[in-house]
């Protein structure tokens, strides 16, 4: 990825489009795309045979994942709108750490994967899901009046509307800044889709809409 020929960088499938549609295999665009099959069965980039492909085994998160559904933006009047139980909404508003227990059938909001992913080498993120973990192991968050924050073995993340597309059916993620953006998780210029309000009916809405 990004032609960073270094240990622990990940690989992708890629093809050129638009102005680069003929460049998928062109010499000027393939530094990180040529490989060799070694005699020991490993695969190495031709530009550095001391490295080879390896498996990055998932790091177990502190909490179980919620894979039954995806947390999305919907109209507050919709039957799909999720509502916090009254005690949870009260705890959040008072700044206490709490699980996001939704009304009905022991459903909770939580991370959809147990391993963060990276975008543009600037953001670490995990999609948010809905599921039925053991209540004693459900994800714990706190609300500071703007941000819904979650701290795990991977650091502090905040709720974020994906790509800041404030539109119905878009999904939500947990995000934190890394590398050049490591101080930008809560910065004004980078939080359009990260500030939320807890409504009196138990729903959660973006402050920007």
């Amino acid at each position: 990825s990004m032609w960073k020929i270094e240990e622990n960088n990940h690989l992708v499938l890629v093809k050129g489009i638009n102005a680069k549609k003929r460049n998928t295999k062109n010499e000027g665009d393939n530094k990180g795309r040529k490989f060799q099959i070694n005699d020991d069965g490993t695969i190495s980039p031709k530009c550095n045979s001391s490295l080879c492909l390896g498996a990055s085994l998932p790091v177990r998160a502190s909490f179980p994942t919620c894979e039954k559904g995806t947390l999305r933006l919907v109209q507050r009047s919709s039957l799909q709108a999720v509502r916090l139980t009254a005690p949870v909404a009260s705890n959040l508003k008072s700044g206490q750490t709490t699980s996001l227990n939704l009304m009905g059938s022991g459903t909770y909001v939580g991370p959809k994967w147990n391993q963060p992913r990276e975008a543009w080498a600037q953001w670490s993120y995990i999609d948010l899901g809905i599921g039925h973990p053991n209540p004693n192991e459900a994800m714990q968050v706190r609300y500071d009046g703007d941000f819904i924050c979650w701290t795990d073995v991977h650091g502090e993340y905040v709720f974020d509307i994906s790509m800041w597309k404030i539109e119905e059916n878009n999904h939500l993620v947990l995000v934190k800044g890394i590398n050049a953006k490591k101080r930008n998780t809560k910065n004004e210029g980078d939080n359009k889709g990260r500030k939320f309000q807890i409504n009196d009916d138990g729903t959660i809405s973006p402050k920007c809409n």
Side-chain angles (χ1 to χ4, degrees):
S1 177
M2 303 296 181
W3 297 352
K4 292 181 179 179
I5 315 301
E6 57 191 39
E7 192 171 3
N8 289 321
N9 193 19
H10 66 285
L11 278 78
V12 300
L13 292 164
V14 70
K15 75 169 184 175
I17 59 174
N18 300 327
K20 292 283 190 178
K21 65 181 179 181
R22 301 183 188 279
N23 288 43
T24 305
K25 296 182 179 179
N26 274 13
E27 285 300 320
D29 279 317
N30 64 24
K31 176 184 175 183
R33 298 177 192 163
K34 288 186 175 180
F35 295 87
Q36 64 187 41
I37 312 301
N38 302 313
D39 292 339
D40 60 0
T42 58
I43 301 173
S44 296
K46 283 194 171 182
C47 58
N48 188 344
S49 61
S50 68
L51 297 173
C52 69
L53 305 190
S56 177
L57 299 177
V59 176
R60 175 68 173 146
S62 297
F63 307 103
T65 56
C66 292
E67 303 172 341
K68 300 299 182 183
T70 300
L71 193 64
R72 299 182 181 276
L73 289 179
V74 299
Q75 294 293 328
R76 284 178 65 183
S77 59
S78 169
L79 292 176
Q80 293 180 314
V82 296
R83 287 175 168 78
L84 303 172
T85 62
V88 168
S90 177
N91 288 342
L92 282 177
K93 289 179 180 180
S94 64
Q96 297 182 53
T97 299
T98 183
S99 60
L100 289 182
N101 187 5
L102 307 178
M103 289 185 181
S105 66
T107 303
Y108 293 82
V109 173
K112 201 166 186 178
W113 319 314
N114 62 12
Q115 175 82 346
R117 301 177 186 179
E118 289 187 12
W120 307 294
Q122 294 181 325
W123 303 105
S124 175
Y125 72 97
I126 309 172
D127 275 11
L128 276 165
I130 296 173
H132 304 277
N134 184 317
N136 295 324
E137 298 178 329
M139 178 181 75
Q140 301 286 309
V141 301
R142 61 181 174 79
Y143 177 63
D144 64 8
D146 285 319
F147 301 97
I148 300 173
C149 309
W150 174 61
T151 301
D152 188 35
V153 293
H154 307 294
E156 184 183 63
Y157 288 74
V158 299
F159 279 36
D160 178 65
I161 298 167
S162 180
M163 302 298 181
W164 299 348
K165 294 180 179 178
I166 316 301
E167 56 190 41
E168 195 170 357
N169 289 320
N170 193 19
H171 67 285
L172 277 79
V173 302
L174 292 158
V175 72
K176 75 169 182 175
I178 59 174
N179 301 326
K181 292 283 191 179
K182 66 182 179 181
R183 301 184 187 279
N184 289 44
T185 304
K186 296 181 181 180
N187 275 13
E188 284 300 320
D190 279 315
N191 64 28
K192 177 183 176 183
R194 299 178 192 162
K195 290 186 175 182
F196 294 88
Q197 64 187 38
I198 313 300
N199 302 314
D200 291 339
D201 61 0
T203 57
I204 302 173
S205 296
K207 283 194 171 182
C208 60
N209 187 356

